[in-house]
Amino acid sequence: MEWIAAGYLLLTLLMMGVLWADLPNKGQMLLLRAEYLAATVAVWLLYRWKPCPAVMFLRILVQMLFLSWWYPDTYELNRVLPNLDHVFASLEQAVFGCQPALEFARLAPWGWLSELMCMGYVSYFPLMLLLYLYYFIKRYDEFLMAAGVMMGAFFAYYVVFILLPVTGPQFYYLAVGTEKIAEGVFPNLGDWFLTHSERMAAPGWSDGFWYHWLDITHDAGERPTAAFPSSHVGVTTVVMLLAARTRSWRLVAVMAPFYILMCLSTVYILAHYAIDAIAGLLTGIALYYALMKAYKFTAGKSKRITG
C-alpha cells in the first residue's frame, strides 16, 4: 500500500512539474506531499521498532486517512485542464433523453427519501471502516489484501479524475443555469473551474439530520472534480465484493442497504450524472478482480523469493 501511494505521489509530482506555471497552490501541494512522507516514515519506523498487529493497523490506517487528503488534491491538477462536463451532460441527454440528476429529486421530493439518500451518501467512509475493522478482527490473515485492494481502487480513480476533468451536476448546472440545462443547452465552460468552485445545494429536506451531515462533509472536502466515474459507487462496489468474499452474510446484510442507497444518492443529491454511477459500478467490479489478481500475483512472487 505504501508503494502504491508512493507511485501515485511520484506520478503527481511529475504532472506538477509539467503544469508548474499554471498551478495556483503549488506550495500547498508540496506541503501535503511532505506531510505524507513524514507520517509514512514515522509509522514505518514505529513498526520496525515494534512489529505487532496494533502497529500494523495504525500503519495502514495512516494510508487510509490520507485518502481524504489526496481527493481535493486532484482538483488542483485537473482544474488547469479544459473542463469536459459539456461532453458528459450531452451524453447523459442522449442516453436518457433528460438529465436524471434534475428529474430524480423533482419527481421524488419527499423528506423521508431525502434523508435516506443523504444517509446513504455519508455512509461512504463508515462502510469502508466497518470492512476494515471486520478483516482486522475476524480475518487478519487477509487484512492486508483487503486494505490493499481498497487503496488500489482509490488511487486508480484518482488518476482518472486528474486526467478527466469532470465536475458533475452540482457544479456544472450552477455555472450554466438549470433553465438552460433543462432545455438541453450544454455549453463548453473551458477553464471556468480554474477560478470557480461554487456548488448547488443538494435537493431535499434541508432541515433533516442527514442532510445537515451531508452539508458538513461537502463543506469539508468537496471540490469541482472527480465526477466520472463515480468513486463513491466504484469503491463501495469493491467494498461489497470484499464483504461477500468473507461469506459473512450478516455483514453483507448490514452493508447492502447502505450500498444501494449510496448508488442512488449520487444522482439524487446532484453529485454525479447517471452515467457516472453506472460507470462506477462497472469499473468497481473490474477493479476488484484486477486488483485481486495483482495481489495474488505479487503475494505468490514474494513467497517464491523468500522461499
Side-chain angles (χ1 to χ4, degrees):
M1 280 166 284
E2 289 159 350
W3 282 113
I4 291 172
Y8 179 79
L9 185 148
L10 179 60
L11 172 65
T12 53
L13 280 174
L14 291 172
M15 292 188 67
M16 287 175 64
V18 173
L19 302 171
W20 187 260
D22 299 319
L23 293 174
N25 297 315
K26 51 181 76 76
Q28 183 180 347
M29 295 172 71
L30 289 174
L31 179 60
L32 163 63
R33 284 152 179 79
E35 290 173 344
Y36 167 77
L37 288 172
T40 299
V41 170
V43 292
W44 178 77
L45 289 173
L46 179 62
Y47 186 76
R48 295 284 293 180
W49 174 66
K50 192 171 184 62
C52 65
V55 180
M56 177 60 78
F57 180 89
L58 175 63
R59 186 176 173 184
I60 298 173
L61 184 62
V62 166
Q63 299 298 319
M64 301 291 282
L65 290 174
F66 265 95
L67 291 172
S68 63
W69 289 37
W70 290 121
Y71 169 73
D73 187 73
T74 63
Y75 169 61
E76 298 297 334
L77 288 165
N78 75 23
R79 66 169 161 167
V80 302
L81 303 175
N83 175 257
L84 298 176
D85 273 81
H86 62 290
V87 175
F88 285 83
S90 299
L91 179 59
E92 185 95 330
Q93 192 78 17
V95 172
F96 299 102
C98 66
Q99 295 291 303
L102 275 183
E103 297 299 321
F104 193 174
R106 185 182 69 82
L107 296 173
W110 313 297
W112 62 267
L113 181 63
S114 166
E115 280 293 272
L116 285 176
M117 292 293 108
C118 294
M119 181 181 67
Y121 197 80
V122 301
S123 67
Y124 185 43
F125 285 110
L127 282 175
M128 285 183 281
L129 180 60
L130 175 60
L131 185 81
Y132 182 71
L133 291 170
Y134 184 90
Y135 266 91
F136 181 76
I137 296 169
K138 296 288 189 179
R139 301 176 72 93
Y140 186 75
D141 58 325
E142 295 183 317
F143 173 58
L144 290 176
M145 174 275 295
V149 169
M150 279 194 286
M151 278 199 63
F154 263 105
F155 282 118
Y157 284 121
Y158 286 176
V159 171
V160 175
F161 295 157
I162 291 171
L163 301 175
L164 201 64
V166 185
T167 69
Q170 62 185 332
F171 296 101
Y172 183 67
Y173 288 1
L174 179 63
V176 175
T178 53
E179 298 83 3
K180 289 185 177 180
I181 295 293
E183 293 169 1
V185 178
F186 311 115
N188 182 351
L189 297 183
D191 63 353
W192 173 265
F193 294 106
L194 178 62
T195 54
H196 293 79
S197 59
E198 303 85 5
R199 62 177 177 85
M200 292 177 64
W205 183 28
S206 58
D207 293 328
F209 174 81
W210 291 110
Y211 187 100
H212 175 66
W213 275 103
L214 175 67
D215 251 359
I216 290 174
T217 58
H218 273 175
D219 290 342
E222 195 60 77
R223 302 288 189 279
T225 182
F228 183 90
S230 169
S231 60
H232 273 70
V233 174
V235 171
T236 48
T237 297
V238 170
V239 166
M240 287 305 301
L241 289 169
L242 285 168
R245 192 177 187 277
T246 67
R247 298 191 181 278
S248 171
W249 302 119
R250 182 179 299 176
L251 176 67
V252 172
V254 168
M255 297 173 67
F258 294 96
Y259 170 67
I260 294 169
L261 290 173
M262 170 72 67
C263 294
L264 295 172
S265 69
T266 57
V267 179
Y268 184 91
I269 70 165
L270 301 174
H272 292 280
Y273 304 106
I275 55 175
D276 300 341
I278 295 169
L281 174 64
L282 297 176
T283 55
I285 295 170
L287 277 171
Y288 170 77
Y289 287 106
L291 289 167
M292 285 294 295
K293 187 173 182 179
Y295 179 84
K296 290 176 182 177
F297 173 77
T298 55
K301 187 176 181 180
S302 176
K303 286 180 181 179
R304 288 194 297 271
I305 292 172
T306 55

